[in-house]
Amino acid sequence: RRRRRRTTHLQSPRRALTSPTLPGPVHVSLLHDHTADTSTMQFSAIVLALTFGSASAFMGTPVAPRAAKASALSMTTQEELAELAESNRDALGAGLGFWDPLGCSKMSFWTLSNEETIGYLRHAEIKHGRVAMAAFLGFCVQSLDAVKGAHSTVPYRGYVENVSPQEQWDNIPVIGKLQILTFVGMLESYGEIPGEVPHYTQPGGIPGYYPPLVGKRPELLFNLYDPFDFFVDDDAESKERGLNVELNNGRAAQLAIMAMLTASKGLIVPPLDAIEGFPKYSGDVMVPFEGQLHVAMPELAAWTEQTLAR
């Protein structure tokens, strides 16, 4: 009886990995990424594939069974991180194996331990990939005539027809921008609150997990993750592969959105620079409130400009 009870106790954490209420662990490392010196041919293929919606090019093969042995109730170690990275044979990093040129997997950020830092890095890459995918799709949609063209009802004051996605953002009134950023900040803050699943830097935490919204307030009708319950019945293997697909597409989207912003400045970015009528932008994407919101006194701004101009 004692042996049986002990075996059950040791095996119980593994059942947490297959809970239908969780999106599943992300067995991928931030550090298993594409190299900085990717050739022009590879880069062009990536952007071209994204441009024409061929996301399957970045889905990778199903994760090897050995990657599933990490317990959801334990922290990811450096050795397990390398194993998880090698199990995800995505199109961008195939053959690289575990890639950590800066040695971040051996660091301890702020007051976090090394294992907590690894959880933070894994979650950060997933989040950056999601933002990049939204930015890529947003850039494409905002370049359509249906969005940037004439409207019977003006979407906001100061709306200008037929401008680039970046100029569309510039034209939004500052109060509208603040509302958007406040809403995004609320979602970000809610995602950091530990709920049914511990924080991603703590034992049992799942990088990439976002808590459900339905039931928290009556006006919240959909969850941010899986709002239409498409993945509720997926088994652990399907969830694991789906999250790896998401991360791989996120890596490609990070390349793609940076390529789009670069091409919009008039620089050569194959194959985007060959697209006739590709949106151009003369402003600075790193100044989201340019000409609208000033946080420095005029005297301080003048001194700074005079000092830096020397």
Side-chain angles (χ1 to χ4, degrees):
R1 287 183 182 177
R2 291 180 179 175
R3 290 182 178 177
R4 190 170 300 171
R5 274 200 298 267
R6 186 175 182 182
T7 303
T8 303
H9 174 71
L10 293 175
Q11 290 178 345
S12 59
R14 293 187 179 271
R15 284 200 290 269
L17 287 172
T18 61
S19 174
T21 61
L22 306 181
V26 181
H27 292 311
V28 198
S29 166
L30 165 74
L31 310 168
H32 173 217
D33 209 339
H34 46 75
T35 56
D37 58 344
T38 307
S39 66
T40 303
M41 291 295 293
Q42 291 174 321
F43 185 80
S44 301
I46 292 169
V47 177
L48 188 62
L50 273 174
T51 304
F52 293 101
S54 181
S56 61
F58 309 101
M59 288 185 177
T61 57
V63 178
R66 61 175 181 170
K69 74 177 184 179
S71 172
L73 298 182
S74 63
M75 301 294 291
T76 304
T77 63
Q78 295 182 33
E79 292 75 16
E80 291 171 336
L81 188 65
E83 185 175 353
L84 295 175
E86 292 172 357
S87 70
N88 181 19
R89 311 304 295 168
D90 62 295
L92 296 179
L96 283 177
F98 180 62
W99 188 66
D100 181 16
L102 299 179
C104 293
S105 65
K106 301 178 182 178
M107 299 180 183
S108 296
F109 291 176
W110 308 294
T111 59
L112 302 176
S113 66
N114 176 251
E115 293 180 347
E116 291 171 343
T117 299
I118 290 174
Y120 169 83
L121 292 173
R122 292 177 63 194
H123 186 81
E125 184 185 21
I126 297 168
K127 186 180 293 185
H128 279 79
R130 290 169 178 171
V131 172
M133 287 187 282
F136 172 80
L137 293 176
F139 194 102
C140 295
V141 171
Q142 288 177 253
S143 300
L144 299 176
D145 292 334
V147 176
K148 69 175 184 178
H151 294 271
S152 57
T153 302
V154 179
Y156 54 83
R157 290 178 298 173
Y159 175 75
V160 180
E161 301 177 11
N162 299 317
V163 296
S164 67
Q166 299 97 313
E167 291 173 301
Q168 294 175 40
W169 168 261
D170 289 341
N171 295 334
I172 296 176
V174 65
I175 188 63
K177 292 180 179 179
L178 291 176
Q179 291 177 20
I180 294 172
L181 294 178
T182 299
F183 176 71
V184 173
M186 292 170 61
L187 294 176
E188 173 73 9
S189 299
Y190 180 73
E192 293 291 322
I193 301 175
E196 299 176 358
V197 176
H199 194 264
Y200 50 83
T201 61
Q202 300 301 315
I206 300 176
Y209 174 78
Y210 194 87
L213 296 173
V214 175
K216 302 300 180 181
R217 292 187 59 86
E219 61 269 20
L220 299 176
L221 304 178
F222 301 98
N223 291 319
L224 188 61
Y225 168 78
D226 193 16
F228 303 107
D229 297 331
F230 288 148
F231 310 118
V232 172
D233 298 327
D234 286 358
D235 56 20
E237 183 179 355
S238 298
K239 289 180 179 180
E240 191 173 8
R241 181 179 182 276
L243 288 171
N244 280 324
V245 168
E246 178 191 25
L247 190 137
N248 295 336
N249 286 331
R251 290 172 175 173
Q254 291 176 68
L255 284 175
I257 188 59
M258 293 305 298
M260 287 175 158
L261 295 177
T262 303
S264 67
K265 300 295 290 185
L267 301 177
I268 299 177
V269 183
L272 299 181
D273 56 303
I275 299 177
E276 184 177 357
F278 190 86
K280 302 298 181 182
Y281 181 61
S282 59
D284 189 348
V285 295
M286 302 304 294
V287 187
F289 294 96
E290 187 173 11
Q292 292 181 321
L293 184 65
H294 303 280
V295 295
M297 295 181 295
E299 295 80 6
L300 179 59
W303 177 86
T304 303
E305 183 178 359
Q306 183 179 13
T307 302
L308 296 178
R310 291 179 179 179

